[in-house]
């Protein structure tokens, strides 16, 4: 069945998957304003990593699991967001923000970042353990940024192609400009800094009923288009497996992971196939056109594997 799914993935059908990642409250035209640069350049590692919709989903779920392992972040997200009521829409909005950060014209991204900072400034509360939190807390913003950067790169590296050490360093450094506009102070700008962040935050991570509930919600929610829906449980297991072993054990998520026989190979085949197709309406293709490049420029200039 899964083989037949892959064989039916024509460029036309891929539109729904790629567009699904950018669908939020309103669609963004990444092709305008003509000529306006993004925060990072087309030659960046980020433009390659963020263009693969399958690894963005895997990485996005993994990042959320890591983020919600921290009790202050978990309380803020669970209390003040739509994740429980409509996780598919929330994931699409998160995907949209990631796309605008990397591919959006700088003016569009700056406007989005200003709105996000304003929303964060209004979110505050107290955890079940009695600890106060604010969504604009520098430590929490750094954790959210660091987990997302780590998870997106790891998903791409595992399921699309290896990423050389120098390119991994470039990737983390590229996140600095965008993260600062979101209010992130001293975002980890290297692999070593990201590892240090994980080491520092690990003692704060804890299992919770919310994490189990989140995984149950993600299994049932219509995250993928109907054609790809049979892959959804595989993507969730892949996301759990993507977590570093120490964090996965700390959060007691091992029972939710464990890709079954053939699933890793299937996801790798699907991700690599998606990487070789430039959907003209996708954020990355529109962004290429905006800066004067062919819509398939990124397909023709991949990272060395």
């Amino acid at each position: 069945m899964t083989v037949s799914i892959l064989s039916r993935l024509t460029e036309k059908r891929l539109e729904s998957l790629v567009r699904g990642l950018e669908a939020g409250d309103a669609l963004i035209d990444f092709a305008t304003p003509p000529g306006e640069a993004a925060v990072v350049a087309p030659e960046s590692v980020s433009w390659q990593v963020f263009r693969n919709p399958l690894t963005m989903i895997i990485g996005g779920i993994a990042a959320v699991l890591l983020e919600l392992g921290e009790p202050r972040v978990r309380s803020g997200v669970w209390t003040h967001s739509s994740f429980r009521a409509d996780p598919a829409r929330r994931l699409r909005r998160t995907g949209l923000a990631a796309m605008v950060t990397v591919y959006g014209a700088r003016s569009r991204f700056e406007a989005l970042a200003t709105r996000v900072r304003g929303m964060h400034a209004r979110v505050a509360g107290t955890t079940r353990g009695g600890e106060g939190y604010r969504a604009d807390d520098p430590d929490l913003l750094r954790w959210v940024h660091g987990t997302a950067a780590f998870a997106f790169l790891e998903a791409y590296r595992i399921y699309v192609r290896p990423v050389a050490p120098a390119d991994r360093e470039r990737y983390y450094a590229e996140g600095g400009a965008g993260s600062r506009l979101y209010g992130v102070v001293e975002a980890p700008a290297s692999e070593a800094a990201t590892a240090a962040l994980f080491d520092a935050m690990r003692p704060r991570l804890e299992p919770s009923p919310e994490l189990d509930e989140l995984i149950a919600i993600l299994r049932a929610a219509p995250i993928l288009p109907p054609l790809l829906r049979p892959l959804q449980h595989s993507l969730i297991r892949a996301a759990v497996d993507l977590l570093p072993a120490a964090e996965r054990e700390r959060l007691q998520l091992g029972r939710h992971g464990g890709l079954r026989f053939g699933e890793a190979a299937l996801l790798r085949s699907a991700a690599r196939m998606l990487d070789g197709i430039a959907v003209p309406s996708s954020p990355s293709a529109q962004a290429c056109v905006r800066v004067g490049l062919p819509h398939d420029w990124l397909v023709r200039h991949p990272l060395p594997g």
Side-chain angles (χ1 to χ4, degrees):
M1 181 178 182
T2 50
V3 174
S4 66
I5 291 172
L6 290 178
S7 67
R8 291 159 56 201
L9 278 176
T10 64
E11 182 171 323
K12 193 77 172 177
R13 288 189 172 97
L14 284 172
E15 288 276 351
S16 60
L17 176 60
V18 178
R19 293 293 287 180
L21 277 175
E22 69 170 296
D25 293 326
L27 294 179
I28 298 289
D29 181 5
F30 289 83
T32 60
E36 186 173 330
V39 174
V40 290
E43 299 81 10
S44 66
V45 179
S46 299
W47 273 49
Q48 291 290 347
V49 168
F50 279 67
R51 65 174 295 270
N52 193 293
L54 203 66
T55 57
M56 288 294 289
I57 292 172
I58 295 172
I61 294 173
V64 170
L65 293 173
L66 287 168
E67 291 162 15
L68 298 193
E70 208 287 335
R72 293 168 296 172
V73 177
R74 180 172 64 248
S75 296
V77 171
W78 220 240
T79 304
H80 298 277
S81 81
S82 60
F83 233 122
R84 291 180 76 178
D86 193 350
R89 179 170 177 266
R90 175 54 191 255
L91 283 173
R92 285 194 295 270
R93 290 177 63 188
T94 301
L96 172 65
M99 296 298 107
V100 175
T101 300
V102 173
Y103 301 117
R106 188 181 181 100
S107 61
R108 299 274 171 88
F109 168 56
E110 289 176 343
L112 172 66
T114 299
R115 291 198 301 272
V116 170
R117 289 199 309 274
M119 290 187 291
H120 284 167
R122 297 190 295 272
V123 173
T126 305
T127 68
R128 276 197 303 264
E131 187 176 14
Y133 65 83
R134 293 189 57 86
D136 57 5
D137 183 312
D139 288 342
L140 303 189
L141 290 173
R142 191 178 302 112
W143 177 241
V144 170
H145 169 82
T147 55
F150 165 83
F152 290 141
L153 178 61
E154 284 299 289
Y156 183 89
R157 182 186 66 79
I158 291 171
Y159 292 102
V160 180
R161 60 171 53 86
V163 181
D167 285 333
R168 295 200 296 269
E169 293 299 304
R170 272 208 300 145
Y171 166 84
Y172 282 112
E174 289 163 5
S179 65
R180 283 192 291 273
L181 289 173
Y182 278 125
V184 182
V185 179
E186 297 181 354
S190 67
E191 280 198 291
T194 300
L197 173 66
F198 275 59
D199 289 342
M201 292 296 285
R202 190 174 300 120
R204 293 197 52 84
L205 302 184
E206 62 182 27
S208 68
E210 288 87 349
L211 282 172
D212 292 327
E213 183 179 352
L214 173 64
I215 290 176
I217 291 171
L218 291 175
R219 285 174 175 157
I223 296 172
L224 299 182
L227 181 65
L228 295 179
R229 200 73 46 78
L231 296 179
Q232 190 158 310
H233 286 200
S234 300
L235 295 178
I236 295 169
R237 285 190 286 271
V240 173
D241 286 358
L242 196 71
L243 272 56
E247 279 69 26
R248 189 167 57 246
E249 181 178 354
R250 181 97 184 171
L251 298 175
Q252 298 179 12
L253 290 175
R255 66 188 181 281
H256 296 298
L259 284 168
R260 298 170 183 173
F261 178 76
E263 284 185 322
L266 172 66
L267 293 177
R268 194 168 289 112
S269 295
R272 288 175 177 175
M273 182 174 62
L274 287 167
D275 219 58
I277 298 174
V279 178
S281 62
S282 69
S284 58
Q286 288 186 18
C288 284
V289 171
R290 187 186 74 245
V291 297
L293 298 170
H295 83 277
D296 61 348
W297 187 86
L298 290 169
V299 172
R300 293 193 278 116
H301 296 81
L303 293 174

